[in-house]
């Protein structure tokens, strides 16, 4: 496949996340042809994945059709495609649809879970970066609660009722709060033969604070909310190993568990063909002040996959939606500047603040110099997330779900539509050691 021949410049965007969406929106009604490639035909609203994982929301309510979103944009096309690489000398994207030519390329491939090279943990721990992963996690949680209800003794139930979340960033904190609420308000309703005291929720991080990027005030409030809800918060603790049965920490502590959820780090998803010499820490592509890949004239990288290293941002920008949105907006504008031969505009991140929810009536808001916690912060969190969702129908469905969950304190259907069974870790072929 190649791009449709046109008198207009061909702009190819790889990825339909927050960053990719903004580039396409900026190019609406411009004299260019836009082609978006993604392995899914929908945009995922990742901040609410944890509610899909715990059964509070159905997956369709946080996903929205990419084609439908751009239905009125006449210069936009979308294709489901698996991108395998790029050839920046020939201006070609390599995919399962064939080679796709471009005049300008935007790599907005986002990030995936970083297990820091530990293959055993990667195999047994559960990631949560996509809707399929969130659904796998939901089914695992429900299956293990079902298994626990069949066990005769507390010792036998322990590994099924112990939940260890590794990584105390927003994802880990929000999921820990959701699991604590499931235990405190729902467990004994659905499973009268289980005791909520037997269900343990651990939040683990090697850093000395939860919500590391937040203010000390917000971090302390989040930790207090979690501990008041019965979450065991273990800080300055590093995971040593996890074999599917026991998670071990440096220092000797261990927990018997079949539920380890990993949100301790992310790494950029980079197509083959990008110069290895410009890959920065976290597997991110080094870009210049306009998000153009260093050494290229017409290829941009934006969002989680980009690293704009400067004196102000020695580690690059944080991997949050606002960075992706703002970089996408500016990349679209700068592409048009380049096409017209106009001066480009450097990227300057406008930090609008950070929000995280811990559960019912509990949230943290760090909005510049304004910092507050509790019920009002929770309302702000709900409003921001609701208006950010794509699609009027999704907004209505999520709002109704939230109201129902709040009033009944027993939200979600918690159905096991399909069973999730982790694959066995393949045994290492001993013959490989004899090679050479």
């Amino acid at each position: 496949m190649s791009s449709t021949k046109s008198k207009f410049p061909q702009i190819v965007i790889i990825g339909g996340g927050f960053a990719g969406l903004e580039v396409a929106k900026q190019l609406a009604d411009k004299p260019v042809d836009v082609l978006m490639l993604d392995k899914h035909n929908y945009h995922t609203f990742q901040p609410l994945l944890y509610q899909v994982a715990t059964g509070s929301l159905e997956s369709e309510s946080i996903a929205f059709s990419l084609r439908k979103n751009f239905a009125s944009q006449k210069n936009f096309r979308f294709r489901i495609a698996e991108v395998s690489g790029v050839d920046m000398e020939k201006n070609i994207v390599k995919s399962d649809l064939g080679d796709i030519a471009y005049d300008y390329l935007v790599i907005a491939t986002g990030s995936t879970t970083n297990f820091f090279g530990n293959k055993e943990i990667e195999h047994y721990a559960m990631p949560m970066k996509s809707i399929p992963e969130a659904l796998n996690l939901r089914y695992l949680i429900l299956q293990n609660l079902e298994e626990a209800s069949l066990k005769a003794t507390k010792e036998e139930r322990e590994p099924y009722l112990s939940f260890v979340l590794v990584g105390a960033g927003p994802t880990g904190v929000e999921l820990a709060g959701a699991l604590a609420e499931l235990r405190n308000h729902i467990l004994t309703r659905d499973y009268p033969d289980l005791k909520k005291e037997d269900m343990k929720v651990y939040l683990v991080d090697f850093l000395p604070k939860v919500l590391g990027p937040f203010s000390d005030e917000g971090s302390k409030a989040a930790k207090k909310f979690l501990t008041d809800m019965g979450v065991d918060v273990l800080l300055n603790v590093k995971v040593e190993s996890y074999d599917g049965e026991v998670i071990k920490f440096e220092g000797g502590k261990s927990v018997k568990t079949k539920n380890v959820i990993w949100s301790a780090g992310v790494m950029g998803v980079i197509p083959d063909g990008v110069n290895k010499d410009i890959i920065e820490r976290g597997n991110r592509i080094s870009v210049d002040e306009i998000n153009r890949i260093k050494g290229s004239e017409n290829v941009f990288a934006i969002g989680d996959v980009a690293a704009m290293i400067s004196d102000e941002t020695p580690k690059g920008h944080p991997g949050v939606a606002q960075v992706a949105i703002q970089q996408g907006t500016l990349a679209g504008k700068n592409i048009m500047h380049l096409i017209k031969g106009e001066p480009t505009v450097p990227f300057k991140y406008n930090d609008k603040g950070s929000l995280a929810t811990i559960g019912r009536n509990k949230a943290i808001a760090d909005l510049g110099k304004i910092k507050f916690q509790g019920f009002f912060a929770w309302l702000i969190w709900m409003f921001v997330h609701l208006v950010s969702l794509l699609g009027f129908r999704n907004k209505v469905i999520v709002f109704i779900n939230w109201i129902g969950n709040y009033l009944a304190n027993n939200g979600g259907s918690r159905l096991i539509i399909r069973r999730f069974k982790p694959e066995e870790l393949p045994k290492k072929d001993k013959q490989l050691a004899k090679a050479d």
Side-chain angles (χ1 to χ4, degrees):
M1 173 187 174
S2 62
S3 298
T4 303
K5 289 185 178 180
S6 168
K7 62 181 180 180
F8 299 121
Q10 307 294 305
I11 317 298
V12 175
I13 303 168
I14 308 175
F18 291 110
L21 288 183
E22 288 303 315
V23 178
K25 283 165 61 177
Q26 283 300 314
L27 296 173
D29 301 321
K30 301 293 192 295
V32 296
D33 285 328
V34 180
L35 173 64
M36 178 178 285
L37 308 173
D38 197 292
K39 61 183 177 180
H40 300 297
N41 70 341
Y42 57 84
H43 167 79
T44 301
F45 191 71
Q46 289 189 331
L48 294 181
L49 276 174
Y50 81 96
Q51 294 196 13
V52 172
T54 52
S56 298
L57 292 175
E58 293 308 315
S59 59
E60 291 82 357
S61 61
I62 69 162
F64 195 74
S65 165
L66 289 166
R67 283 192 172 91
K68 187 175 182 180
N69 189 61
F70 291 100
S72 62
Q73 186 168 326
K74 302 305 180 185
N75 67 343
F76 176 89
R77 292 176 297 134
F78 172 78
R79 297 290 183 268
I80 294 179
E82 290 275 0
V83 172
S84 57
V86 297
D87 187 329
M88 289 191 280
E89 290 186 2
K90 297 181 179 178
N91 290 347
I92 285 173
V93 174
K94 300 177 181 179
S95 77
D96 58 351
L97 300 179
D99 290 348
I100 301 170
Y102 64 82
D103 293 303
Y104 289 88
L105 174 65
V106 180
I107 300 175
T109 42
S111 60
T112 189
T113 304
N114 190 352
F115 293 95
F116 303 101
N118 192 314
K119 294 298 182 182
E120 188 179 51
I121 292 177
E122 181 177 353
H123 180 81
Y124 288 111
M126 298 294 290
M128 196 186 66
K129 288 288 289 180
S130 67
I131 286 177
E133 289 177 351
L135 290 173
N136 286 342
L137 179 54
R138 179 200 294 190
Y139 298 138
L140 180 72
I141 291 169
L142 295 175
Q143 287 168 197
N144 284 341
L145 292 180
E146 294 288 341
E147 286 292 326
S149 69
L150 300 176
K151 304 302 179 185
T153 66
K154 179 179 178 180
E155 288 71 26
E156 289 177 303
R157 291 191 291 269
E158 180 184 353
Y160 297 96
L161 292 177
S162 296
F163 296 83
V164 181
L165 296 99
V166 183
T171 299
V173 165
E174 290 175 347
L175 192 49
L179 286 170
E181 290 198 322
L182 186 151
R183 175 194 58 199
N184 296 340
H185 305 295
I186 295 171
L187 182 69
T188 55
R189 295 185 191 181
D190 284 7
Y191 305 93
D193 42 353
L194 297 179
K195 298 178 180 178
K196 69 178 185 179
E197 292 79 15
D198 291 345
M199 180 174 165
K200 304 292 185 183
V201 181
Y202 302 88
L203 181 63
V204 182
D205 204 301
F206 69 93
L207 294 175
K209 59 185 284 192
V210 300
L211 296 178
F214 282 61
S215 64
D216 289 341
E217 180 184 342
S219 175
K220 290 174 183 176
K223 184 180 179 183
K224 186 177 188 306
F225 284 144
L226 289 165
T227 53
D228 288 347
M229 295 168 73
V231 177
D232 290 320
V233 181
L234 308 176
L235 301 177
N236 292 305
V237 173
K238 189 175 181 180
V239 175
E240 192 174 75
S241 65
Y242 177 55
D243 62 1
E245 300 290 338
V246 177
I247 185 168
K248 296 180 180 179
F249 307 104
E250 288 186 358
K253 182 177 176 61
S254 65
V255 175
K256 293 181 180 179
T257 178
K258 291 183 177 293
N259 309 283
V260 171
I261 303 153
W262 192 270
S263 61
V266 295
M267 56 189 291
V269 179
I270 302 176
D272 289 342
V274 176
N275 186 352
K276 303 294 184 185
D277 294 337
I278 59 169
I279 305 303
E280 299 288 342
R281 182 181 177 185
N283 205 44
R284 298 194 294 169
I285 305 169
S286 182
V287 297
D288 63 17
E289 71 279 358
I290 65 167
N291 278 98
R292 190 166 45 186
I293 291 179
K294 291 186 176 178
S296 171
E297 295 296 323
N298 62 340
V299 183
F300 290 72
I302 56 176
D304 289 0
V305 77
M308 188 181 292
I309 307 298
S310 67
D311 292 338
E312 292 182 6
T313 56
K315 296 181 180 179
H317 293 92
V320 296
Q322 270 302 316
V323 171
I325 290 168
Q326 292 177 34
Q327 288 185 344
T329 299
L330 190 62
K333 292 178 179 178
N334 276 330
I335 287 173
M336 292 310 303
H337 288 319
L338 290 171
I339 290 172
K340 295 176 182 178
E342 300 170 348
T344 56
V345 179
F347 177 72
K348 189 76 174 177
Y349 176 46
N350 176 22
D351 189 352
K352 297 181 179 180
S354 302
L355 296 165
T357 183
I358 291 88
R360 182 186 178 93
N361 298 339
K362 302 178 184 71
I364 310 298
D366 278 5
L367 307 177
K369 295 181 179 179
I370 303 172
K371 299 173 177 61
F372 52 97
Q373 305 85 36
F375 178 72
F376 187 58
W378 181 68
L379 290 179
I380 297 291
W381 179 92
M382 285 201 301
F383 174 78
V384 168
H385 285 69
L386 200 61
V387 299
S388 300
L389 273 168
L390 293 185
F392 177 75
R393 178 179 175 274
N394 283 4
K395 289 178 170 68
V396 172
I397 289 173
V398 169
F399 181 69
I400 291 173
N401 269 273
W402 284 350
I403 294 295
N405 293 351
Y406 188 81
L407 295 175
N409 216 8
N410 187 22
S413 54
R414 296 182 292 282
L415 304 178
I416 302 175
I417 303 297
R418 60 172 171 80
R419 294 192 65 82
F420 171 72
K421 185 177 181 181
E423 296 179 5
E424 292 294 324
L425 185 66
K427 294 180 180 179
K428 292 181 179 178
D429 189 345
K430 294 182 181 180
Q431 296 300 319
L432 292 177
K434 299 179 182 179
D436 297 327

